[in-house]
Amino acid sequence: MSIETAALKALQAAVGVENVRTDPATLSCYAWNSGMMPGPKFTFFPAAIVLPKSTEEVAAIVRACNANGLKFRPLSTGNGTFYLSHQPNVVVLDLVRMDRILKIDRANQMAVIQPYATAGRLMAEAMKVGLTCHVIGAGPGHSPLASATSMLGIGITGSSTGHNARNILALEWVTVDGEIVRIGTTGEDWFSEEGPGIGFRGMIRGYFGAHGALGIFTCIGYKLYPWAGARKLERTGVFPQDGMPLSENMRFFAPVWPSSEQVRDAVMRLNHSGQMFAVLRMPPANIGFVLTRSNNEYRDRRLNGTLPEIARDESRHGLQVLTIGHSPAQVAHQEKLVRLIVEETGGRMLALEREHAEMLVRGLVTSQYVGRARTNNGATSYGIADSWHLWPKAVESAEQLVKEDLASGDVFTEDAESHWAWPTENRQLWTEHVVAVRKSPRGGAIALVAFLRHVYLMQKQRLGIASFIAGPMIDMFGRTMHAGLWMRRIKRTLDPQAHADASMYISPKESAAMRVFPYVKGLLFSRAFKPVLLGMMSLMGRKAGAMKKADKADLGSAPPRVPESQTGGPAVRSPSA
Amino acid sequence: MSLEDRDRSMSDCTRCSNCRWLPSIDTEEFAHVCPSIRYGKVFSYSGGGKAIMGYALLHGKIGYDEGMLDAIYACSACGGCQVVCGTFHDDMVEPLEAIYALRERVVQDGQLPASLKALTDNLRSTGNVAGSTDGNRGAWCASLSRTAPERPDMVLLVGDAALDREQWPQLQRLVATLDASGASFTIAGAAEVDCGGLAFEVGDQALARTLAEKVVALVRESGARSILTQDDALFAALRGYYPRMGVTLPVDKVVHVTQWLARHKPPIAAHQGEAVTYHDTCRLGRLGEPYVPWSGWHDAAFAAIRVRQSNVPVLYGNGGVYDEPRALIAATGAEIREMPRIRETSFCCGLGGGGGTFNPEFATMAARDRLTEALSTGAKTLVTSSAECACHLRAVAQRERLPIAVSNLIDYIAPVEG
Ligand SMILES: Cc1cc2nc3c(=O)[nH]c(=O)nc-3n(C[C@H](O)[C@H](O)[C@H](O)COP(=O)(O)OP(=O)(O)OC[C@H]3O[C@@H](n4cnc5c(N)ncnc54)[C@H](O)[C@@H]3O)c2cc1C
Ligand code: SF4
Ligand code: SF4
């Protein structure tokens, strides 16, 4: 998409010639579909990439876009390629030059940060003064500002660091008209006791975030939490399997139970205590990906039965629990409490080698190893958010859903299901069912269909709210919660001209297809229709050219799922190196 | 490996951006692992960006332009991106391999930037990158009165230091030290040729292979069972690039001088209590890890888990040389103050891979960043194993008036004469 000269000049006037890029090679890196979205590897090439340095420059870019009929979309780190646009003529604001941690205010437990100040950098600095920050599962490389203002925001340490929606204390916002708005305490001091004003957060982000569709956030006041661990996370282990030493006031537990109901009971009691730093249910295979140096080692150790107990399927009703006490008495209390709850709910503690415990603890504190869940071919992720009482149902519905897919030979999960789950704010259940699929049009189709059917079924069964609903999904599934309706009104009110790209939010106008959707969804997601849906999605994958020559070897019907003991594991191959 | 061969792995880049950063961050200021993205800012400068551009080029989505070439070559081919990507994604993407393949394609398409083309032209015409017609690689040792053993254990290759008069005294001292410690070695001297490392890094693999084969011949001729070198770039070429090109050396081992000296403990200088920091060069560190070539297939174990068909291990840079240089510095009595970015995730000074020649501004930025990090430790001297990196860092420190001395390790540990 080439950009008009007048528009280019206007952008260059806003940020300087050297900070506007329109060469195809640069643009290609902002049109890359990492596989998070269905469809081809390249979506629409943006009209330009601009790199503002200040809030004023962001505002000037917005005004320049509006004057020249261009849409705009910001990205902070681009960590999950969620910023991709589904339309042409979009200017991408890469906020990489706005990278500063402007302030860490120890007394008031907050930081003031720009979009490209990453969680890893913020955490390292906060820890030096006895504080820490919320880190979402995306890990140390994501932007807390993007997460808090614009996209989801749940994280493994949610027991103690909450949900990012609630970690915004103040914000600076460039509206779709290019106006600069400061919410929270304005002026020199960013501190705001009540959060942004009288509760504007709900409108600018809602649950899943507006993804830049309501304007661009350029700075936030961000809540920090007490950290009683070491001021610097020393490294243990052999790179890249970095661990961290457990300080005297930390306790790490790996309890397991015979059933999901017992896990639920235990988590609800742990939540109730308000004493947990982090509680995590990680599928054993994913623990295995972390504790082994490579997929080959994981495969071999799974086959020869030498994976540590925590990484074996039989430990699937298990948790990782980390407590950090601020005094010896609190440490003793926390230890007693966890042991008692585990015992009374019929669980037992797994023994762990020190180096494994140290790695898992680093993962709990920093989310460093969550990405290893994606060391495989394709993947999908779907889940729910509500109270922990739904946990057994979440497990059961995932088991039902993947049963047929497992038989196809295209999908890998634990024996029965593969949920990641953790509590937020000592109450909320967050689950994400991460399923590895074979990288082929068929594998991709299975992932997509599983995702859509899951969201449909869980709404039908009233299993809380779906964890990932964005873009067109809001129209498809948002109406159950009546949220879509109000989101559309917000978008229309704040952006009547639809200046901001809303590919991942809600469009100002409902499409005809979406008006029909409520009447056909029953059929579309029925079991009988599943093969048709699969066929459609496979075709889409192939047509989109999402798969390459190299995958052609995989295109035939998938081989049957042969017991591991007979095959040594491998079933399908793709030319690679 | 060609761009076509990397098709699938390039397409697997999740664009997570992790290859910009250290996986374990100690301090906000020194969190980057990639000098290229730090310099260029837009995503194409990162390891992942180069993989995406490689894929786009292969599939006809983009053609060559200045911006693309800058993103490809304002990069020191330091491999930081690869070890970090592996931390998160195993061998799924291997961005450094994508960089090698992309650069090879650039050369095949006749698009190598002029400043780098001048280097490969020089190599072809004169046998050295500088294009010196006085390319006698034996001059530095011509005056040495030593007799090589008839059946030497090792052959000493010194790389381009042989062509730099300023480095001759250092090389001569090194030979004396090695002799004093009982090493059995011969000096390649006038028979030495360029190892092809730089040619490989900029993408001229045909030239790199021709030069590598000459090195193989001269080593075979020497009868030695090991190669000894003080040159980090040469070390990386022999241990990493040759296996990638399928060139097999007729020796059991390639040994860096620091490894030899740390084991044989010759007399060493005293720097009691001096506060120094040590800069791991990429070429002695992660790129100095012996590369194990493999080809074939990725299988899908348990239906969807990507595994190598052969059990060749995924590399994370652990096999580089990290401890021996530190042991040598410690033996002088100096106090090593570690920087935040060390060992496998060390931050490159920006010189290598053609980066310094192609875009001096990039290389200066990287060196400045590294020197600032060194200063943050309170050290008065930065010591490093590579004479070239030391020279580059020293020049930037002087130009920018940064209050830190830069010393080459071999010089730093050499006992004061007289
Ligand atoms: C392996 C993996 C695990 C993940 N786990 C989690 C998880 O546990 N919890 C969770 O919440 N998320 C998770 N995510 C998704 C994650 O939320 C996003 O990657 C991250 O929040 C966004 O931060 P970012 O810096 O990458 O933002 P970007 O990718 O830059 O942007 C994310 C979205 O926000 C918009 N945006 C960015 N900056 C701004 C701004 N300044 N103003 C307005 N809009 C903006 C973008 O347009 C885009 O739509 C995961 C992703 C991956 C790949
Ligand atoms: S190369 Fe690896 S680390 Fe870099 S963006 Fe791609 S997947 Fe992420
Ligand atoms: S090789 Fe080094 S400079 Fe080049 S992209 Fe990778 S980390 Fe950056």
Side-chain angles (χ1 to χ4, degrees):
Chain A
M1 172 59 52
S2 62
I3 183 170
E4 303 272 336
T5 316
L8 183 60
K9 286 226 161 95
L11 294 173
Q12 289 171 339
V15 291
V17 176
E18 67 286 5
N19 290 311
V20 181
R21 301 292 296 262
T22 55
D23 53 297
T26 302
L27 299 185
S28 71
C29 295
Y30 295 80
W32 180 249
N33 179 0
S34 67
M36 284 279 181
M37 319 284 168
K41 290 296 326 173
F42 291 101
T43 58
F44 291 98
F45 275 39
I49 311 299
V50 284
L51 310 176
K53 177 81 182 149
S54 65
T55 306
E56 288 68 27
E57 287 188 1
V58 171
I61 294 163
V62 167
R63 288 194 296 269
C65 288
N66 293 346
N68 288 281
L70 295 166
K71 295 198 183 302
F72 54 85
R73 186 80 182 277
L75 71 85
S76 289
T77 75
N79 172 276
T81 59
F82 291 98
Y83 64 85
L84 279 181
S85 295
H86 299 154
Q87 56 183 327
N89 262 329
V90 175
V91 168
V92 170
L93 290 92
D94 186 333
L95 302 171
V96 61
R97 293 172 71 219
M98 300 179 72
D99 63 348
R100 294 184 56 209
I101 297 170
L102 295 170
K103 179 160 92 175
I104 292 188
D105 179 342
R106 185 174 180 274
N108 293 306
Q109 288 185 213
M110 69 177 293
V112 179
I113 54 172
Q114 293 188 323
Y116 192 63
T118 60
R121 290 169 56 216
L122 178 60
M123 181 184 270
E125 292 310 302
M127 281 181 175
K128 289 178 187 164
V129 295
L131 296 169
T132 189
C133 62
H134 182 66
V135 184
I136 62 163
H142 80 275
S143 153
L145 180 146
S147 172
T149 60
S150 307
M151 184 174 171
L152 201 56
I154 44 80
I156 288 171
T157 53
S159 289
S160 58
T161 59
H163 184 298
N164 252 342
R166 293 239 257 270
N167 289 330
I168 316 171
L169 295 177
L171 55 84
E172 183 177 71
W173 174 38
V174 175
T175 69
V176 295
D177 301 317
E179 189 188 344
I180 299 172
V181 176
R182 294 193 174 94
I183 301 169
T185 311
T186 52
E188 285 293 299
D189 186 6
W190 271 79
F191 178 66
S192 160
E193 277 184 13
E194 293 295 326
I198 49 171
F200 196 63
R201 276 174 300 193
M203 191 138 88
I204 54 105
R205 66 145 12 249
Y207 174 69
F208 198 72
H211 288 266
L214 300 176
I216 300 166
F217 302 99
T218 47
C219 194
I220 57 169
Y222 189 60
K223 199 189 290 177
L224 300 175
Y225 292 86
W227 168 250
R231 298 292 158 114
K232 178 181 164 199
L233 298 186
E234 297 296 343
R235 274 169 252 174
T236 60
V238 177
F239 179 83
Q241 295 181 287
D242 289 343
M244 59 173 264
L246 267 79
S247 49
E248 289 223 322
N249 55 353
M250 286 182 180
R251 293 290 180 275
F252 177 63
F253 309 91
V256 286
W257 292 263
S259 72
S260 57
E261 287 78 10
Q262 287 160 295
V263 174
R264 170 199 59 200
D265 295 345
V267 175
M268 291 187 84
R269 286 183 60 184
L270 292 169
N271 284 345
H272 199 86
S273 75
Q275 289 289 321
M276 302 301 115
F277 181 79
V279 176
L280 171 67
R281 191 282 175 144
M282 193 168 158
N286 287 250
I287 297 177
F289 299 153
V290 173
L291 299 183
T292 51
R293 280 179 75 77
S294 66
N295 286 356
N296 278 56
E297 186 190 332
Y298 173 78
R299 189 262 323 263
D300 294 346
R301 295 190 62 182
R302 187 177 165 100
L303 288 173
N304 64 27
T306 58
L307 283 171
E309 194 177 358
I310 191 171
R312 293 192 216 142
D313 290 348
E314 63 261 28
S315 304
R316 78 182 178 102
H317 296 301
L319 295 173
Q320 294 169 49
V321 179
L322 181 65
T323 58
I324 309 180
H326 291 258
S327 67
Q330 191 187 13
V331 175
H333 168 68
Q334 288 169 335
E335 172 147 21
K336 205 168 139 191
L337 184 80
V338 176
R339 290 190 184 283
L340 185 75
I341 291 173
V342 171
E343 194 187 317
E344 288 185 355
T345 49
R348 69 183 172 91
M349 296 290 184
L350 296 181
L352 247 76
E353 285 186 22
R354 189 193 185 90
E355 61 169 301
H356 291 161
E358 288 177 344
M359 273 197 81
L360 294 174
V361 169
R362 182 176 271 273
L364 283 176
V365 174
T366 65
S367 280
Q368 191 160 317
Y369 299 113
V370 178
R372 282 195 76 82
R374 292 201 70 204
T375 59
N376 295 307
N377 287 334
T380 182
S381 168
Y382 43 85
I384 60 171
D386 205 301
S387 161
W388 263 88
H389 80 264
L390 285 172
W391 172 244
K393 280 199 160 193
V395 170
E396 191 191 316
S397 78
E399 282 173 358
Q400 280 172 9
L401 208 70
V402 293
K403 217 176 200 164
E404 306 146 38
D405 295 338
L406 280 174
S408 73
D410 287 294
V411 168
F412 171 75
T413 63
E414 299 307 308
D415 266 358
E417 49 79 38
S418 193
H419 269 289
W420 284 65
W422 59 79
T424 298
E425 294 180 347
N426 291 313
R427 187 247 178 209
Q428 195 86 357
L429 163 70
W430 167 268
T431 71
E432 230 178 292
H433 192 228
V434 180
V435 180
V437 293
R438 189 155 65 91
K439 199 151 193 175
S440 66
R442 193 179 148 78
I446 288 179
L448 197 56
V449 170
F451 176 76
L452 292 170
R453 286 188 78 224
H454 172 86
V455 178
Y456 171 72
L457 289 175
M458 52 145 285
Q459 290 209 332
K460 204 171 146 199
Q461 295 166 13
R462 301 201 169 276
L463 267 177
I465 56 166
S467 43
F468 288 109
I469 290 194
M473 300 270 299
I474 299 172
D475 268 328
M476 288 162 78
F477 301 107
R479 67 183 73 218
T480 320
M481 298 172 269
H482 307 289
L485 184 72
W486 291 96
M487 286 163 75
R488 176 157 283 129
R489 285 190 187 172
I490 292 171
K491 173 73 178 165
R492 275 193 197 143
T493 308
L494 293 179
D495 189 13
Q497 314 279 335
H499 287 314
D501 173 43
S503 295
M504 287 292 279
Y505 193 55
I506 198 160
S507 59
K509 255 177 94 178
E510 192 179 26
S511 69
M514 287 307 150
R515 276 199 291 274
V516 177
F517 181 76
Y519 308 104
V520 296
K521 66 179 179 185
L523 170 69
L524 208 57
F525 298 120
S526 66
R527 186 173 291 203
F529 200 72
K530 190 179 161 192
V532 183
L533 204 57
L534 266 176
M536 279 161 52
M537 298 295 170
S538 291
L539 208 64
M540 218 170 88
R542 279 175 217 220
K543 260 183 94 175
M547 302 300 150
K548 305 144 301 302
K549 266 187 295 172
D551 294 313
K552 292 257 164 72
D554 291 353
L555 293 189
S557 62
R561 195 167 189 248
V562 186
E564 292 148 16
S565 54
Q566 291 171 27
T567 61
V572 189
R573 56 175 36 184
S574 60
S576 170
Chain B
M1 204 175 285
S2 71
L3 208 54
E4 281 80 4
D5 293 329
R6 304 296 317 168
D7 187 6
R8 166 134 193 188
S9 49
M10 292 186 301
S11 86
D12 280 343
C13 171
T14 66
R15 204 200 183 281
C16 64
S17 297
N18 285 325
C19 51
R20 303 174 187 209
W21 307 107
L22 300 192
S24 302
I25 294 170
D26 291 343
T27 170
E28 73 113 350
E29 203 181 349
F30 306 111
H32 275 93
V33 75
C34 171
S36 187
I37 185 83
R38 186 130 174 76
Y39 167 77
K41 307 273 189 296
V42 283
F43 191 79
S44 46
Y45 285 80
S46 70
K50 283 155 194 148
I52 292 172
M53 287 193 297
Y55 186 88
L57 185 71
L58 184 64
H59 292 267
K61 297 280 178 192
I62 59 171
Y64 291 100
D65 61 40
E66 238 177 75
M68 180 191 190
L69 291 170
D70 195 60
I72 296 173
Y73 287 105
C75 154
S76 49
C78 72
C81 48
Q82 183 136 311
V83 296
V84 178
C85 182
T87 303
F88 297 95
H89 304 298
D90 209 78
D91 69 341
M92 189 165 85
V93 184
E94 296 187 322
L96 180 64
E97 310 303 325
I99 291 169
Y100 292 150
L102 178 57
R103 290 180 170 200
E104 186 183 10
R105 173 58 60 91
V106 170
V107 171
Q108 284 165 352
D109 289 345
Q111 299 287 337
L112 186 65
S115 56
L116 298 173
K117 177 84 170 32
L119 302 185
T120 53
D121 285 349
N122 285 344
L123 275 169
R124 281 196 167 84
S125 58
T126 65
N128 61 77
V129 278
S132 162
T133 44
D134 177 22
N136 178 4
R137 291 174 185 264
W140 72 271
C141 55
S143 60
L144 295 179
S145 56
R146 72 182 291 270
T147 324
E150 214 167 279
R151 309 185 82 193
D153 290 343
M154 301 184 287
V155 54
L156 178 69
L157 302 181
V158 298
D160 281 355
L163 302 172
D164 177 3
R165 272 178 184 277
E166 284 191 16
Q167 291 192 53
W168 289 4
Q170 180 205 96
L171 292 178
Q172 289 157 357
R173 265 201 313 270
L174 178 65
V175 168
T177 309
L178 290 168
D179 277 333
S181 63
S184 155
F185 70 104
T186 182
I187 301 171
E192 191 170 341
V193 293
D194 183 278
C195 69
L198 188 80
F200 176 87
E201 287 170 346
V202 303
D204 196 336
Q205 299 220 358
L207 174 60
R209 190 167 285 112
T210 309
L211 292 166
E213 274 154 13
K214 288 186 184 164
V215 172
V216 169
L218 87 87
V219 171
R220 185 172 290 122
E221 182 74 12
S222 76
R225 292 198 313 274
S226 303
I227 296 172
L228 183 65
T229 184
Q230 90 306 345
D231 182 322
D232 293 5
L234 181 75
F235 186 71
L238 300 179
R239 304 230 295 188
Y241 309 161
Y242 283 25
R244 281 177 171 89
M245 291 190 287
V247 173
T248 310
L249 283 163
V251 291
D252 303 331
K253 265 189 295 187
V254 177
V255 182
H256 193 265
V257 157
T258 54
Q259 293 176 297
W260 171 269
L261 296 178
R263 182 138 31 99
H264 294 85
K265 301 190 173 45
I268 212 162
H271 296 290
Q272 200 59 41
E274 235 173 71
V276 302
T277 192
Y278 175 68
H279 166 66
D280 288 288
T281 70
C282 344
R283 268 96 188 141
L284 182 61
R286 57 189 172 241
L287 296 176
E289 175 169 46
Y291 182 80
V292 188
W294 78 286
S295 61
W297 301 75
H298 271 110
D299 288 328
F302 318 115
I305 311 251
R306 180 192 168 92
V307 289
R308 287 182 173 185
Q309 189 192 29
S310 61
N311 254 343
V312 172
V314 177
L315 302 178
Y316 300 104
N318 306 100
V321 178
Y322 306 107
D323 295 329
E324 290 87 341
R326 288 177 169 78
L328 289 168
I329 296 170
T332 68
E335 177 207 345
I336 302 180
R337 302 202 178 162
E338 294 286 9
M339 289 185 271
R341 296 174 290 191
I342 53 169
R343 300 177 71 94
E344 293 88 347
T345 51
S346 175
F347 187 75
C348 173
C349 72
L351 181 69
T357 306
F358 172 72
N359 188 332
E361 203 188 313
F362 153 74
T364 299
M365 183 280 322
R368 187 190 307 122
D369 195 335
R370 190 57 162 165
L371 289 161
T372 313
E373 182 181 3
L375 278 166
S376 77
T377 66
K380 299 278 176 283
T381 307
L382 177 148
V383 181
T384 188
S385 55
S386 156
E388 282 73 28
C389 298
C391 183
H392 170 57
L393 286 162
R394 192 178 302 119
V396 174
Q398 283 166 1
R399 221 168 35 234
E400 313 240 334
R401 296 181 201 287
L402 297 171
I404 190 156
V406 177
S407 184
N408 178 12
L409 179 61
I410 302 293
D411 289 337
Y412 189 74
I413 61 171
V416 182
E417 277 166 21

